[in-house]
Amino acid sequence: MKIDIDRLRSHIGRKIEETDEATLPPMRGMTVVFERPEPAPKRGEPVPAGWHWCFFVPLAPRSVLGADGLPTSGGVLPEMPLPRRMFAGQAYTFHAPILVGDELRRETELADLQLREGGTGTMVFTTVRRRIYTPRGLAVTEDQHTVFREAADPAAPARAPKRDPAPTDVAWRRTYAPDTVTLFRYSALTLNPHRIHYDRTYAMQEEGYPGLVVHGPFSQQCLLDLLRDNLPGKAIRSFTMRARAPLFDTAPFTVIGRPTAEGAEVWAVGPDGGIAMQASATLG
């Protein structure tokens, strides 16, 4: 496939600005979806790390959504010539807490866009940088990495990505069993219209997956929750995560972790024992 990478890269530096409010109802929703034992934070209390995904939800009209349910235009990304997209990783810096009730402002910028050729064909990697401000100043900086890929051939045999084995010398371990209801509720809570997370027929017949795909931010949140549950009283200052392979609703997955001199390292592990996500964190 011929891709005009110069045209796509000409959009680097494009910025938009949005406002929102750190309202209470999404906090109650996150407490339910992730079956948290503690009550949802109240007005004036800090939003747990990662829960800011409930704010600035995408509000693209139906007329601009593509076959996969995601917008084909708008935001800082140019219209992509490759139809499939996957969450590839995230890097956060938590500068200061977001408090429930805060007025929020977010700056979003297309920071990078690269063309690569791999074993699965042509891919475009993008980095979108976001900065979230409260009335007290900068609260969160995040770089979100996304990969755009060629259309899948549903008739071709599925190729499982190679996974490195997960470490066994870990201090923390928790198992999640994602099901249709949980993935749908998380899609609704974050207003994520990507059909691979709730439309099984589409996910399997059009994109060639063995089942519904667990949201990258969902499994990432499981890692963040593992950190704060096992290191109480410690604030997560930075979190850098790389997605290695998708997880599905067809089997439980496990999150594991251990402390390090700088903070901690955590992994999401698929049912085959291979690494699906790996992340490191610094704490204070």
Side-chain angles (χ1 to χ4, degrees), residues 90-94 220-221 223-224 227 236-241 266 278-282:
Q90 195 96 22
Y92 294 106
T93 301
F94 297 100
Q220 175 182 256
Q221 189 60 53
L223 296 176
L224 287 164
L227 282 172
I236 301 173
R237 300 303 184 191
S238 68
F239 181 86
T240 302
M241 187 278 296
V266 288
Q278 63 185 72
S280 61
T282 61

Side-chain angles (χ1 to χ4, degrees), residues 195-206:
R195 292 172 65 185
I196 62 173
H197 304 306
Y198 58 85
D199 186 338
R200 188 177 304 277
T201 300
Y202 174 84
M204 297 179 70
Q205 295 185 4
E206 298 298 324

Side-chain angles (χ1 to χ4, degrees), residues 9 11 33 47 50 71 74 105 115 140 145 158 171 174 180-181 215 223:
R9 285 181 56 83
H11 293 267
V33 168
V47 172
R105 178 173 63 88
L115 178 67
V140 181
H145 308 294
R174 180 179 297 160
T180 306
V181 173
H215 313 68
L223 296 176

Side-chain angles (χ1 to χ4, degrees), residues 71-90:
T72 58
S73 61
V76 297
L77 289 175
E79 186 170 353
M80 288 292 176
L82 302 174
R84 301 174 71 202
R85 66 190 90 183
M86 288 293 293
F87 183 83
Q90 195 96 22

